[in-house]
Amino acid sequence: MRTPVIAGNWKLFKKQADAADLVTALIPLVKDAVGVEIVVAPVFTSLSAVREKIRGTNIKLSAQNCYWEEEGAFTGEIAPGMIKDAGCSHVIIGHSERRQYFGETNETVNKKIKAALKAGLVSLLCIGETLAQREAEKTFDILRSQVTDGLAGITAVELAAIIIAYEPVWAIGTGKTASDDQAQEAHAFIRGLVAELYDQATADAIRILYGGSVKPENVKGLMSRPDIDGALVGGASLKADSFAGIVNF
Ligand code: PGA
């Protein structure tokens, strides 16, 4: 039985006071949610403000990125151990915006996941094809390389600390969600790939979230599909009522 995960990616929004206000409004709206893991990912500088508010609640804290070294002369970077020290249990790795604007590759994603594992963080590994790749019928090739290369050298046991988020790039922030069928097809492919790379039990256990314009209105349809185990939510996670509407689907 896979516990669903609903994660809010706040991206580059919400300074400390606003982040604290958002999570304070969210807490009572999701406090009775059972059988679902709730995660929020504020910007680094708002982590401590959110951490103070979620103490003793059912909300977990995530960072949006990390570096792969533990320390050293790497100005501007943040190590997984530091993220853990800041109170996070999770870290988003390889979001398409990072791949698109900050040059992240499957290789850097792989290094980051390994470093996150060492620090005891759960990684939310983001994968997904662009519109051009989908139209060129390259979706499954792209997903195959993102999963195979992203998880290279990671054992089946370590996979327990990894959640995959399938986020078709053309659906992110566009209001254009993948249809339930399109999402299910990709999720089934990803799970099949994990079975091929590892084994069936590992594939059955891994959580695969869908991301891309998830809203309270479309979450139910997506979640009714057998291989969709939750959502990574951007825009709709920035308001307490809409994020709560997704959590309480
Ligand atoms: P969106 O973003 O919900 O605003 O489409 C999802 C994401 O980028 O994780």
Side-chain angles (χ1 to χ4, degrees):
M1 205 16 214
R2 299 185 292 265
T3 304
V5 181
I6 305 291
N9 172 12
W10 295 359
K11 305 194 180 184
L12 189 55
F13 294 99
K14 309 277 177 195
K15 292 178 184 146
Q16 296 187 66
D18 292 333
D21 285 352
L22 172 56
V23 82
T24 301
L26 182 64
I27 291 165
L29 302 180
V30 300
K31 71 173 186 351
D32 297 325
V34 285
V36 55
E37 223 177 300
I38 308 165
V39 181
V40 294
V43 296
F44 288 123
T45 50
S46 292
L47 286 173
S48 67
V50 172
R51 178 194 194 178
E52 287 312 308
K53 299 291 178 194
I54 62 175
R55 248 181 242 284
T57 73
N58 56 349
I59 301 174
K60 295 178 180 169
L61 195 59
S62 176
Q64 298 176 13
N65 179 32
C66 69
Y67 191 50
W68 57 78
E69 295 286 350
E70 255 324 301
E71 58 181 18
F74 303 105
T75 303
E77 291 299 327
I78 300 193
M82 293 164 183
I83 287 168
K84 177 96 180 167
D85 183 52
C88 293
S89 50
H90 292 63
V91 58
I92 298 173
I93 294 181
H95 189 279
S96 65
E97 285 149 17
R98 301 230 35 104
R99 295 178 190 255
Q100 216 176 325
Y101 307 130
F102 303 101
E104 295 209 12
T105 63
N106 292 333
E107 196 189 351
T108 60
V109 163
N110 181 250
K111 287 185 184 182
K112 290 180 179 197
I113 292 179
K114 286 177 175 160
L117 277 167
K118 241 192 225 165
L121 290 169
V122 174
S123 298
L124 288 147
L125 162 62
C126 300
I127 60 172
E129 81 287 359
T130 63
L131 184 58
Q133 289 163 340
R134 176 163 281 265
E135 285 174 345
E137 296 182 0
K138 292 263 187 290
T139 297
F140 296 127
D141 293 343
I142 294 295
L143 297 180
R144 176 176 286 277
S145 60
Q146 288 174 333
V147 171
T148 308
D149 300 346
L151 296 179
I154 289 161
T155 67
V157 171
E158 290 172 328
L159 225 59
I162 293 166
I163 296 168
I164 296 176
Y166 168 63
E167 300 202 299
V169 178
W170 48 272
I172 295 178
T174 56
K176 216 166 130 187
T177 327
S179 69
D180 299 348
D181 284 346
Q182 282 173 322
Q184 167 57 28
E185 184 189 32
H187 283 231
F189 173 80
I190 295 161
R191 199 177 304 284
L193 191 52
V194 174
E196 185 187 314
L197 295 171
Y198 295 88
D199 54 72
Q200 194 58 48
T202 305
D204 288 341
I206 196 163
R207 270 93 52 95
I208 308 174
L209 316 186
Y210 169 79
S213 300
V214 176
K215 303 181 264 289
E217 299 75 40
N218 59 24
V219 67
K220 235 193 177 94
L222 289 161
M223 291 300 292
S224 71
R225 296 307 177 109
D227 289 298
I228 302 181
D229 306 314
L232 181 54
V233 186
S237 71
L238 294 171
K239 292 219 165 76
D241 55 352
S242 57
F243 189 62
I246 295 169
V247 170
N248 299 316
F249 68 88

